[in-house]
């Protein structure tokens, strides 16, 4: 469950062979850190919708929010909306938003349950077929089935059952929706990450506060959302260090297998690097949270530069 992320990843971070934290670089980043201009990870215009609609679309987005990278030499998936070409997570969010505005019944559990690959690919309107199309459609089918079986077909029922508790909301997604259960077994022990389930709660909270609603409570219990963009940014800042062997593989765009020691270490050490940041900042910014630092780093990573190093490439539904 969500509360198992820190203890299970700590074991990996403390015994990591391929990834480490440079404390000097971390302290340098923290010494110049300011809350002014702190980045926020958000996109789309769902604020125009009512709360049930916006929560539903955030949930749909997080069903399919994973694995946007392309192999070297291949064209990356993107979609065009109002003349603007958008790729990655922002692209699929905007595509979902446009579908809904154009009358596609994305919040209808029966529609989700019966959606097929051909129809979803057509609705996305991408330049190429999106990676893991089958897995994305299965996640949407799963959402429809679980909503009909356990929540009267309503995304709001899922939210209401959590009673404004971030941890409970995250745990509901982990428990009821198997595609959100981001857990691996390594050397006989389970390690929890739960990136999409946590991000989903964070994004729902953002939609509530935009409308002047109260925040969810227990937001400070969220950990970093271990994906591929945040460790890329940490490596650019020289906070994350890879061994020469792993660095060469990542920089050569070689795929890192899901569940391999290297992939698990990248994710676990990312989580703990941001935990260490929070600890280092506590004396100056006692209220700063891990999720805020995560969102800030993700936002910084959206600005491309010639100094960027590649992110690690793993074929997975979890990020």
């Amino acid at each position: 469950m969500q509360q198992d992320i820190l203890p299970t990843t700590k074991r990996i971070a403390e015994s990591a062979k391929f990834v480490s934290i440079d404390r000097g670089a971390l302290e340098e980043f923290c010494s110049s850190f300011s809350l002014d201009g702190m980045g926020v990870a958000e996109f789309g215009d769902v604020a125009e919708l009512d709360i049930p609609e916006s929560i539903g679309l955030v949930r749909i987005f997080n069903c399919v929010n994973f694995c946007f990278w392309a192999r070297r030499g291949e064209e990356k998936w993107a979609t065009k909306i109002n003349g603007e070409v958008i790729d990655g997570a922002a692209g699929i969010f905007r595509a979902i938003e446009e579908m809904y505005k154009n009358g596609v019944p994305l919040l209808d559990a029966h529609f989700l349950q019966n959606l097929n690959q051909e129809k979803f690919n057509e609705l996305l309107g991408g330049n190429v077929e999106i990676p893991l199309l089958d897995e994305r459609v299965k996640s949407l089918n799963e959402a429809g089935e679980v909503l009909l079986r356990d929540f009267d077909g309503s995304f709001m029922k899922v939210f209401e059952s959590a009673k404004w508790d971030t941890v409970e909301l995250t745990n509901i997604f982990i428990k009821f929706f198997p595609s959100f259960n981001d857990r691996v077994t390594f050397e006989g022990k389970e390690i929890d990450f739960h990136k999409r389930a946590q991000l989903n709660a964070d994004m729902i909270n953002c939609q509530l506060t935009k409308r002047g609603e109260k925040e969810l409570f227990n937001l400070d219990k969220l950990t970093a959302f271990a994906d591929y963009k945040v460790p890329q940014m940490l490596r650019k800042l020289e906070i994350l260090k890879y061994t020469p062997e792993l660095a060469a593989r990542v920089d050569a765009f070689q795929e890192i297998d899901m569940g391999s020691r290297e992939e698990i270490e990248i994710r676990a050490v990312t989580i703990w690097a941001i935990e260490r940041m929070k600890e280092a900042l506590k004396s100056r910014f006692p209220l700063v949270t891990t999720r805020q630092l995560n969102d800030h780093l993700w936002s910084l990573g959206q600005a491309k530069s010639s100094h960027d190093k590649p992110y690690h490439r793993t074929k997975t539904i979890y990020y």
Side-chain angles (χ1 to χ4, degrees):
M1 290 293 157
Q2 191 274 342
Q3 56 268 34
D4 298 324
I5 297 170
L6 289 181
T8 61
T9 55
K10 188 175 185 180
R11 293 197 300 267
I12 298 296
E14 290 180 340
S15 61
K17 298 177 180 179
F18 295 97
V19 187
S20 60
I21 299 171
D22 186 311
R23 293 305 296 257
L26 187 148
E27 289 169 8
E28 182 180 350
F29 174 82
C30 290
S31 67
S32 61
F33 177 83
S34 171
L35 293 179
D36 295 334
M38 191 170 180
V40 178
E42 62 178 0
F43 30 71
D45 299 316
V46 291
E48 299 174 358
L49 307 174
D50 63 26
I51 288 176
E53 289 175 315
S54 61
I55 286 177
L57 290 191
V58 163
R59 171 67 176 89
I60 292 292
F61 166 69
N62 282 304
C63 282
V64 296
N65 178 28
F66 51 82
C67 199
F68 297 102
W69 56 267
R71 291 184 176 89
R72 175 171 272 174
E74 293 183 351
E75 190 174 2
K76 187 177 181 181
W77 176 87
T79 190
K80 183 180 285 188
I81 297 171
N82 298 327
E84 181 183 4
V85 177
I86 318 169
D87 63 15
I92 204 166
F93 192 94
R94 289 284 302 277
I96 287 167
E97 201 172 52
E98 286 300 302
M99 292 179 210
Y100 188 70
K101 289 178 180 177
N102 292 325
V104 178
L106 287 174
L107 305 187
D108 184 322
H110 293 283
F111 175 81
L112 295 176
Q113 185 182 37
N114 295 299
L115 188 61
N116 59 40
Q117 286 187 52
E118 182 180 7
K119 182 62 176 176
F120 188 58
N121 192 48
E122 175 192 335
L123 290 169
L124 284 175
N127 54 332
V128 294
E129 182 176 293
I130 197 166
L132 301 183
L133 174 64
D134 182 45
E135 287 79 358
R136 293 177 207 272
V137 172
K138 285 178 179 176
S139 181
L140 293 170
N141 295 157
E142 172 190 274
E145 291 163 10
V146 173
L147 288 174
L148 290 168
R149 185 185 69 220
D150 299 312
F151 297 99
D152 298 328
S154 168
F155 285 114
M156 276 302 292
K157 290 282 186 181
V158 180
F159 172 71
E160 290 165 355
S161 65
K163 299 179 181 178
W164 294 82
D165 184 342
T166 303
V167 172
E168 183 60 23
L169 182 59
T170 304
N171 284 339
I172 287 170
F173 280 99
I174 296 167
K175 177 181 178 181
F176 285 92
F177 301 90
S179 65
F180 280 77
N181 190 9
D182 183 4
R183 169 183 289 158
V184 296
T185 301
F186 183 72
E187 296 182 340
K189 295 181 179 179
E190 290 184 336
I191 304 150
D192 291 17
F193 294 105
H194 303 309
K195 181 259 182 177
R196 288 195 291 122
Q198 292 195 103
L199 176 62
N200 189 66
D202 184 32
M203 291 183 69
I204 286 173
N205 180 73
C206 181
Q207 295 308 314
L208 293 170
T209 55
K210 276 183 177 180
R211 292 160 176 76
E213 299 286 339
K214 65 179 181 181
E215 280 199 328
L216 302 180
F217 58 93
N218 279 331
L219 285 165
D220 61 327
K221 300 295 192 298
L222 294 176
T223 72
F225 311 145
D227 61 0
Y228 52 90
K229 293 296 290 183
V230 174
Q232 180 192 28
M233 192 63 208
L234 288 171
R235 190 177 173 217
K236 181 178 180 178
L237 294 167
E238 300 187 350
I239 293 169
L240 276 198
K241 297 286 189 181
Y242 296 169
T243 60
E245 176 191 6
L246 177 57
R249 292 184 63 197
V250 172
D251 294 345
F253 290 67
Q254 292 180 11
E255 193 167 328
I256 308 296
D257 290 340
M258 186 183 79
S260 64
R261 172 178 279 278
E262 293 92 332
E263 189 248 356
I264 290 169
E265 285 189 12
I266 290 170
R267 300 188 79 195
V269 179
T270 291
I271 287 171
W272 278 93
I274 299 181
E275 288 296 318
R276 299 302 180 216
M277 278 185 184
K278 182 180 71 173
E279 292 170 9
L281 290 166
K282 192 175 294 183
S283 61
R284 292 169 56 216
F285 306 107
L287 299 181
V288 74
T289 64
T290 305
R291 73 181 181 92
Q292 289 173 319
L293 293 171
N294 180 98
D295 286 356
H296 178 58
L297 290 165
W298 188 90
S299 298
L300 289 178
Q302 302 314 297
K304 308 294 189 297
S305 80
S306 59
H307 304 294
D308 290 344
K309 294 183 178 180
Y311 44 74
H312 74 281
R313 283 160 162 77
T314 296
K315 195 66 68 67
T316 176
I317 69 169
Y318 297 118
Y319 60 93

